Amino acid sequence: MSNTTRTAYHEAGHALMSYITGWSIKSVILKFENEELIYGLTTYNFNDDEINTQANLNRRILCLLGGPISQAIYENNSMLNIDTLGKDGENIDYLLSHLKIIDKENFIRNSIKTTATILQINENKKALKSIAEKLINDHQLFENDFIQLLNKFNITRMNFDNKSESLTKIKQNNSFFSKIKLFFLRLAKVVEKS
Protein backbone atom coordinates (compact mmCIF):
# COMPACT_ATOMS: atom_id res chain seq x y z
CA MET A 1 0.00 0.00 0.00
CA SER A 2 1.32 3.42 -0.89
CA ASN A 3 1.97 6.11 1.68
CA THR A 4 -0.57 8.30 -0.15
CA THR A 5 -3.31 5.69 0.23
CA ARG A 6 -2.45 5.09 3.89
CA THR A 7 -2.51 8.83 4.62
CA ALA A 8 -5.73 9.33 2.64
CA TYR A 9 -7.52 6.70 4.74
CA HIS A 10 -6.03 8.19 7.92
CA GLU A 11 -7.29 11.69 7.13
CA ALA A 12 -10.62 10.30 5.86
CA GLY A 13 -11.12 8.73 9.31
CA HIS A 14 -10.56 12.06 11.08
CA ALA A 15 -12.97 13.79 8.69
CA LEU A 16 -15.70 11.16 8.90
CA MET A 17 -15.58 11.01 12.71
CA SER A 18 -15.92 14.79 12.85
CA TYR A 19 -19.08 14.47 10.77
CA ILE A 20 -20.46 11.55 12.78
CA THR A 21 -19.89 13.38 16.07
CA GLY A 22 -21.93 16.34 14.82
CA TRP A 23 -19.16 18.58 13.55
CA SER A 24 -17.50 18.85 10.15
CA ILE A 25 -14.21 19.78 8.55
CA LYS A 26 -12.92 22.98 7.06
CA SER A 27 -10.51 21.07 4.84
CA VAL A 28 -8.48 17.92 4.37
CA ILE A 29 -5.20 18.34 2.53
CA LEU A 30 -2.59 15.90 1.29
CA LYS A 31 0.51 18.06 0.84
CA PHE A 32 2.95 17.03 -1.89
CA GLU A 33 6.36 18.37 -2.91
CA ASN A 34 8.04 17.04 -6.03
CA GLU A 35 5.33 14.38 -6.30
CA GLU A 36 6.21 13.05 -2.83
CA LEU A 37 3.69 13.13 0.02
CA ILE A 38 4.90 15.38 2.82
CA TYR A 39 1.91 15.17 5.18
CA GLY A 40 -1.85 14.95 5.54
CA LEU A 41 -3.84 17.46 7.56
CA THR A 42 -7.48 17.63 8.60
CA THR A 43 -8.71 21.01 9.80
CA TYR A 44 -11.90 20.67 11.82
CA ASN A 45 -14.95 22.89 11.97
CA PHE A 46 -15.97 22.64 15.63
CA ASN A 47 -18.75 25.25 15.21
CA ASP A 48 -17.18 27.38 17.97
CA ASP A 49 -17.65 24.54 20.48
CA GLU A 50 -15.03 24.83 23.19
CA ILE A 51 -13.52 22.02 25.24
CA ASN A 52 -15.57 23.25 28.17
CA THR A 53 -17.87 20.26 28.39
CA GLN A 54 -17.21 16.59 28.91
CA ALA A 55 -19.14 15.78 25.74
CA ASN A 56 -17.02 18.09 23.56
CA LEU A 57 -13.81 16.66 24.99
CA ASN A 58 -15.00 13.13 24.24
CA ARG A 59 -16.03 14.13 20.73
CA ARG A 60 -12.59 15.58 20.00
CA ILE A 61 -10.93 12.39 21.20
CA LEU A 62 -13.16 10.32 18.89
CA CYS A 63 -12.21 12.63 15.98
CA LEU A 64 -8.51 12.15 16.75
CA LEU A 65 -8.92 8.39 17.00
CA GLY A 66 -10.74 8.29 13.66
CA GLY A 67 -7.48 8.74 11.72
CA PRO A 68 -5.33 5.92 13.08
CA ILE A 69 -8.32 3.58 13.40
CA SER A 70 -9.43 4.14 9.80
CA GLN A 71 -5.85 3.51 8.71
CA ALA A 72 -5.66 0.36 10.85
CA ILE A 73 -8.95 -0.95 9.43
CA TYR A 74 -7.67 -0.36 5.91
CA GLU A 75 -4.34 -2.08 6.73
CA ASN A 76 -6.03 -4.95 8.64
CA ASN A 77 -4.02 -4.02 11.73
CA SER A 78 -5.61 -4.60 15.12
CA MET A 79 -2.63 -3.47 17.23
CA LEU A 80 -3.76 -0.04 18.42
CA ASN A 81 -3.11 1.52 21.79
CA ILE A 82 -2.11 4.95 23.08
CA ASP A 83 1.56 4.23 22.28
CA THR A 84 0.88 3.39 18.62
CA LEU A 85 -1.28 6.43 17.83
CA GLY A 86 1.64 8.77 17.01
CA LYS A 87 0.88 12.50 16.90
CA ASP A 88 -2.82 11.79 17.40
CA GLY A 89 -1.93 9.96 20.64
CA GLU A 90 0.05 12.99 21.82
CA ASN A 91 -2.97 15.21 21.16
CA ILE A 92 -5.23 12.75 23.02
CA ASP A 93 -2.78 12.74 25.96
CA TYR A 94 -3.00 16.54 26.01
CA LEU A 95 -6.81 16.45 26.00
CA LEU A 96 -6.83 13.79 28.72
CA SER A 97 -4.68 16.03 30.90
CA HIS A 98 -7.84 18.12 31.34
CA LEU A 99 -9.61 15.16 32.94
CA LYS A 100 -9.16 13.42 36.24
CA ILE A 101 -9.30 9.88 34.92
CA ILE A 102 -7.98 7.16 37.17
CA ASP A 103 -7.74 4.48 34.50
CA LYS A 104 -6.50 6.22 31.36
CA GLU A 105 -5.66 2.93 29.63
CA ASN A 106 -9.23 1.66 30.05
CA PHE A 107 -10.61 4.97 28.80
CA ILE A 108 -8.41 4.76 25.68
CA ARG A 109 -9.32 1.11 25.10
CA ASN A 110 -13.04 1.94 25.30
CA SER A 111 -12.64 4.98 23.03
CA ILE A 112 -10.70 2.92 20.46
CA LYS A 113 -13.35 0.20 20.57
CA THR A 114 -16.15 2.74 20.17
CA THR A 115 -14.46 4.50 17.24
CA ALA A 116 -13.59 1.21 15.53
CA THR A 117 -17.17 -0.01 15.89
CA ILE A 118 -18.52 3.20 14.37
CA LEU A 119 -16.08 3.15 11.44
CA GLN A 120 -16.76 -0.50 10.66
CA ILE A 121 -20.47 0.10 10.03
CA ASN A 122 -20.91 -0.81 6.37
CA GLU A 123 -22.20 2.62 5.24
CA ASN A 124 -19.36 4.36 7.10
CA LYS A 125 -16.78 2.08 5.45
CA LYS A 126 -18.20 3.04 2.05
CA ALA A 127 -17.96 6.72 2.97
CA LEU A 128 -14.35 6.28 4.17
CA LYS A 129 -13.44 4.71 0.85
CA SER A 130 -15.12 7.52 -1.07
CA ILE A 131 -13.37 10.24 0.97
CA ALA A 132 -10.00 8.48 0.61
CA GLU A 133 -10.43 8.11 -3.15
CA LYS A 134 -11.30 11.79 -3.46
CA LEU A 135 -8.15 12.69 -1.52
CA ILE A 136 -5.97 10.34 -3.58
CA ASN A 137 -7.25 11.92 -6.80
CA ASP A 138 -7.57 15.59 -5.81
CA HIS A 139 -5.26 15.86 -2.75
CA GLN A 140 -7.77 18.14 -1.05
CA LEU A 141 -11.35 18.27 0.13
CA PHE A 142 -13.22 21.27 1.46
CA GLU A 143 -16.30 21.40 3.68
CA ASN A 144 -19.02 21.94 1.04
CA ASP A 145 -17.70 19.15 -1.20
CA PHE A 146 -17.23 16.94 1.87
CA ILE A 147 -20.86 17.38 2.95
CA GLN A 148 -22.05 16.83 -0.60
CA LEU A 149 -19.99 13.64 -0.83
CA LEU A 150 -21.36 12.30 2.47
CA ASN A 151 -24.95 13.07 1.46
CA LYS A 152 -24.65 10.06 -0.88
CA PHE A 153 -24.46 7.78 2.17
CA ASN A 154 -26.89 6.94 4.95
CA ILE A 155 -24.66 8.02 7.83
CA THR A 156 -26.09 8.39 11.30
CA ARG A 157 -24.80 11.51 13.02
CA MET A 158 -24.66 12.07 16.75
CA ASN A 159 -26.37 15.19 18.01
CA PHE A 160 -25.03 16.69 21.21
CA ASP A 161 -27.22 18.87 23.36
CA ASN A 162 -24.69 21.28 24.88
CA LYS A 163 -27.12 22.44 27.58
CA SER A 164 -27.37 19.05 29.23
CA GLU A 165 -24.08 17.66 27.89
CA SER A 166 -25.93 14.50 26.95
CA LEU A 167 -25.78 12.61 23.72
CA THR A 168 -28.99 12.31 21.77
CA LYS A 169 -29.49 10.32 18.64
CA ILE A 170 -31.05 11.36 15.39
CA LYS A 171 -32.35 7.91 14.54
CA GLN A 172 -34.52 6.87 17.46
CA ASN A 173 -34.43 3.17 16.57
CA ASN A 174 -30.65 2.85 16.39
CA SER A 175 -29.56 0.79 19.41
CA PHE A 176 -25.87 1.15 18.55
CA PHE A 177 -25.99 4.88 19.17
CA SER A 178 -27.91 4.24 22.38
CA LYS A 179 -24.86 2.26 23.51
CA ILE A 180 -22.60 5.17 22.51
CA LYS A 181 -24.79 7.49 24.59
CA LEU A 182 -24.39 5.19 27.58
CA PHE A 183 -20.62 5.12 27.03
CA PHE A 184 -20.47 8.93 27.22
CA LEU A 185 -22.75 9.14 30.23
CA ARG A 186 -20.79 6.46 32.14
CA LEU A 187 -17.54 8.18 31.24
CA ALA A 188 -18.84 11.48 32.60
CA LYS A 189 -19.72 9.75 35.89
CA VAL A 190 -16.23 8.20 36.15
CA VAL A 191 -14.64 11.61 35.61
CA GLU A 192 -16.95 13.28 38.14
CA LYS A 193 -15.98 10.71 40.79
CA SER A 194 -12.25 11.29 40.25
Side-chain angles (χ1 to χ4, degrees):
M1 167 190 1
S2 76
N3 193 35
T4 300
T5 302
R6 180 181 299 112
T7 303
Y9 271 89
H10 183 104
E11 298 306 324
H14 286 311
L16 184 58
M17 284 305 297
S18 75
Y19 182 80
I20 289 170
T21 59
W23 287 321
S24 187
I25 58 144
K26 292 179 182 175
S27 65
V28 182
I29 306 287
L30 298 184
K31 175 69 174 165
F32 287 82
E33 284 184 14
N34 300 322
E35 297 183 21
E36 184 177 328
L37 178 68
I38 305 301
Y39 62 83
L41 178 65
T42 299
T43 306
Y44 299 100
N45 180 352
F46 293 125
N47 301 325
D48 298 323
D49 289 339
E50 298 293 326
I51 310 178
N52 57 359
T53 67
Q54 182 65 43
N56 285 346
L57 183 62
N58 293 336
R59 290 163 75 189
R60 289 200 188 196
I61 289 171
L62 292 178
C63 291
L64 286 168
L65 286 170
I69 291 173
S70 173
Q71 180 181 334
I73 290 169
Y74 181 77
E75 294 174 333
N76 253 347
N77 177 2
S78 62
M79 300 300 294
L80 275 179
N81 60 51
I82 191 68
D83 298 321
T84 61
L85 296 175
K87 183 71 172 161
D88 294 316
E90 292 173 21
N91 289 330
I92 290 168
D93 266 341
Y94 172 76
L95 290 174
L96 289 177
S97 70
H98 291 77
L99 297 174
K100 297 175 186 173
I101 295 179
I102 295 170
D103 190 356
K104 182 173 99 171
E105 286 297 318
N106 190 44
F107 173 84
I108 293 297
R109 258 192 314 278
N110 287 336
S111 296
I112 288 172
K113 183 179 176 184
T114 299
T115 306
T117 301
I118 291 169
L119 291 179
Q120 289 184 35
I121 293 171
N122 192 41
E123 202 68 9
N124 294 345
K125 285 172 75 172
K126 290 178 192 175
L128 279 172
K129 181 179 180 188
S130 185
I131 296 166
E133 288 173 350
K134 176 81 170 155
L135 289 170
I136 291 165
N137 292 327
D138 299 345
H139 304 166
Q140 62 187 10
L141 183 60
F142 297 97
E143 187 169 21
N144 289 341
D145 293 331
F146 174 70
I147 300 298
Q148 190 174 22
L149 180 70
L150 290 183
N151 283 337
K152 298 175 185 174
F153 302 95
N154 185 20
I155 297 172
T156 301
R157 296 184 79 189
M158 299 176 190
N159 181 23
F160 288 79
D161 176 358
N162 288 328
K163 293 176 188 161
S164 65
E165 295 187 33
S166 66
L167 175 63
T168 58
K169 57 189 185 308
I170 292 174
K171 292 187 175 182
Q172 297 299 319
N173 296 325
N174 193 324
S175 64
F176 171 73
F177 281 99
S178 295
K179 291 176 186 173
I180 300 295
K181 178 179 180 177
L182 288 174
F183 168 76
F184 277 103
L185 294 176
R186 287 182 187 141
L187 178 64
K189 288 179 184 176
V190 168
V191 172
E192 287 170 10
K193 290 179 185 176
S194 318

